[in-house]
């Protein structure tokens, strides 16, 4: 039976407007391909993506079978700006007044954080249409800003967000987390007084499964030394990426001639780290590369690294896009991470050391460097095979539909 699903997220970004925020589009595109009507409501104000240029309060487009409604929203540039909160409020105000002429009535509405405020739009529309409401959690707020932002649990803003979070868990028909162990967090918050909780993780970006665009020969010659084991971090260079331990490790391995650290990306802390590592011949910063070339960069590497800060958040699981990219590259992964088992653990395609422990990281890099290259490559291929088998968006969309509309969509 055909159904109509609306997905409301301020930070959904269909191609070609940004790499971050594509998950909603890929899920909804697969739902459309399964014969359902798929509608995305998003904002033209996103510090990690772009948007089409338009006049008026909103713009409707049709992208690969998905109806996309762009809402003109108050603009901001920095994630930690007060203007971002104003933009959240403006988005909900505009969504509540969005002209719906021509849009099919929804059978289910998915409201996705961030921001948490979108639950209010979801509740309003649920009442208007009598449909089911799914509250999707991509970041556990306010716990994330308590653990990683240093906010006090007694901060008035945090207390308001906590109230909204609990209310959403109770009043939605279904709670979906991108992290695998969200149910434990919800149970700890409310006991059994909440909606059912399920997990629909991030999936494989179909654009990334195509042949990667090759890197210029000059770029490779300038940044990738030959005959060395390359440890690569690709992605944002910011506070939450916890890269201090990687650079401490690189300094301690300054005298190890066969290992080189390749840092690909941009971010607020890049100038600081570049200055601190200026005397290290075993560290190279390249800046960012086009999305189409990311897999080509990873293919030149031997170990792919990511790190997180110690946090209670990880007890409930991890949902980093970076892990998808890394596993798809078919390379062995090493992480400074402690928490609920990840996809890397499930696939057996990588190892972890305690976050913040540069000594343990050095020891593990040296151990992996001593393995025969064929053994490292086999572990990496295991990860690629696993991610393609278990995380394609077609399967995730089918699972999502069955959870969101259990009485309409058969197994």
């Amino acid at each position: 039976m055909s159904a109509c699903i609306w997905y409301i997220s301020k930070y959904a970004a269909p191609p070609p407007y940004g790499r971050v925020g594509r998950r909603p589009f890929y899920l909804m595109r697969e739902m459309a391909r399964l014969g359902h009507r798929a509608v995305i409501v998003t904002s033209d104000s996103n510090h990690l993506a772009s948007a089409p240029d338009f006049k008026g309060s909103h713009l409707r487009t049709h992208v690969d079978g998905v109806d996309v409604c762009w809402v003109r929203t108050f603009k901001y540039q920095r994630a930690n700006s007060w203007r971002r909160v104003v933009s959240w409020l403006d988005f909900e105000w505009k969504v509540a007044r969005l002209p719906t002429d021509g849009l099919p009535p929804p059978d289910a509405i998915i409201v996705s954080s961030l921001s948490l405020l979108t639950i209010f739009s979801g509740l309003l529309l649920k009442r208007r249409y009598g449909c089911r409401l799914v509250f999707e959690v991509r970041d556990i707020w306010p716990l994330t800003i308590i653990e990683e932002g240093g906010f006090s649990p007694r901060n008035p803003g945090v207390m308001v967000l906590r109230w909204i979070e609990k209310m959403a868990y109770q009043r939605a028909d279904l709670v979906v987390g991108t992290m695998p162990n969200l149910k434990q967090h919800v149970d700890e918050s409310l006991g059994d007084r909440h909606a059912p909780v399920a997990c629909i993780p991030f999936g494989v970006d179909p654009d990334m499964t195509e042949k990667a665009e090759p890197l210029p020969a000059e770029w490779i010659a300038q940044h990738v030394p030959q005959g060395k084991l390359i440890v690569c971090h690709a992605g944002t260079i910011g506070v939450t990426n916890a890269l201090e331990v990687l650079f401490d490790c690189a300094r301690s391995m300054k005298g190890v001639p066969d290992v080189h650290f390749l840092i690909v990306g941009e971010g607020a802390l890049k100038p600081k780290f570049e200055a601190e590592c200026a005397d290290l011949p075993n560290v190279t910063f390249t800046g960012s590369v086009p999305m189409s070339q990311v897999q080509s960069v990873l293919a030149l590497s031997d170990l792919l690294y990511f790190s997180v800060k110690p946090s209670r958040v990880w007890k409930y699981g991890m949902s980093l896009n970076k892990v998808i990219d890394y596993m798809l590259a078919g390379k062995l992964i090493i992480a400074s991470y402690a928490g609920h088992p990840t996809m890397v653990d499930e696939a057996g395609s990588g190892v972890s050391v305690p976050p913040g422990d540069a000594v343990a990281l050095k020891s593990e890099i040296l151990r992996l460097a001593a393995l025969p290259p064929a053994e490292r490559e086999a572990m990496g291929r295991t990860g690629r095979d696993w991610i393609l088998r278990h995380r394609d968006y077609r399967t995730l969309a089918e699972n999502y539909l069955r959870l969101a509309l259990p009485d309409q969509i058969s197994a």
Side-chain angles (χ1 to χ4, degrees), residues 131 135 154 157 166 170 244 310 325 354 356 362 380 403 407:
C131 61
F135 178 57
R154 297 185 179 277
K166 287 184 176 182
Q170 291 177 309
E244 292 83 356
D325 295 354
K362 174 183 177 181
L403 290 166
D407 296 330

Side-chain angles (χ1 to χ4, degrees), residues 125-315:
L125 293 168
K126 171 184 167 69
R127 182 175 181 180
R128 181 184 300 172
Y129 291 107
C131 61
R132 282 175 58 83
L133 177 62
V134 180
F135 178 57
E136 182 179 82
V137 180
R138 289 187 287 177
D139 292 292
I140 303 176
W141 276 50
L143 182 62
T144 296
I145 59 172
I146 294 171
E147 289 290 305
E148 299 180 16
F151 284 77
S152 167
R154 297 185 179 277
N155 179 290
V158 169
M159 294 176 71
V160 170
L161 289 174
R162 187 76 176 107
W163 174 79
I164 295 172
E165 179 197 31
K166 287 184 176 182
M167 182 269 295
Y169 292 155
Q170 291 177 309
R171 298 188 62 180
D173 295 295
L174 173 70
V175 177
V176 167
T178 56
M179 63 291 300
N181 198 31
L182 178 65
K183 186 176 185 302
Q184 181 178 341
H185 171 69
V186 181
D187 287 344
E188 291 170 355
S189 301
L190 291 166
D192 59 358
R193 296 175 293 107
H194 59 76
V197 182
C199 174
I200 299 292
F202 281 86
V204 175
D205 179 338
D207 292 345
M208 293 172 58
T209 62
E210 303 297 326
K211 185 177 180 180
E213 180 182 326
L215 292 159
E218 308 81 52
W219 190 97
I220 298 173
Q222 180 182 355
H223 298 302
V224 185
Q226 300 301 304
K228 297 190 178 186
L229 181 123
I230 305 297
V231 181
C232 177
H233 171 273
T236 304
I237 306 172
V239 173
T240 61
N241 305 102
L243 290 175
E244 292 83 356
V245 66
L246 181 65
F247 297 122
D248 288 344
C249 176
R251 183 166 295 279
S252 72
M253 297 181 68
K254 185 177 179 181
V256 180
D258 298 330
V259 177
H260 194 85
F261 296 84
L262 183 67
I263 314 300
V264 182
E266 297 288 349
L269 294 184
K270 184 189 172 192
K272 171 181 180 291
F273 289 140
E274 281 186 304
E276 292 175 353
C277 297
D279 64 322
L280 297 181
N282 60 338
V283 177
T284 298
F285 291 84
T286 75
S288 61
V289 299
M291 183 184 66
S292 58
Q293 294 179 343
V294 169
Q295 286 294 311
S296 293
V297 171
L298 302 182
L300 294 172
S301 307
D302 299 286
L303 301 179
L304 305 180
Y305 175 79
F306 74 87
S307 54
V308 298
K309 293 182 179 295
S311 170
R312 284 186 297 153
V313 171
W314 310 123
K315 179 170 71 170

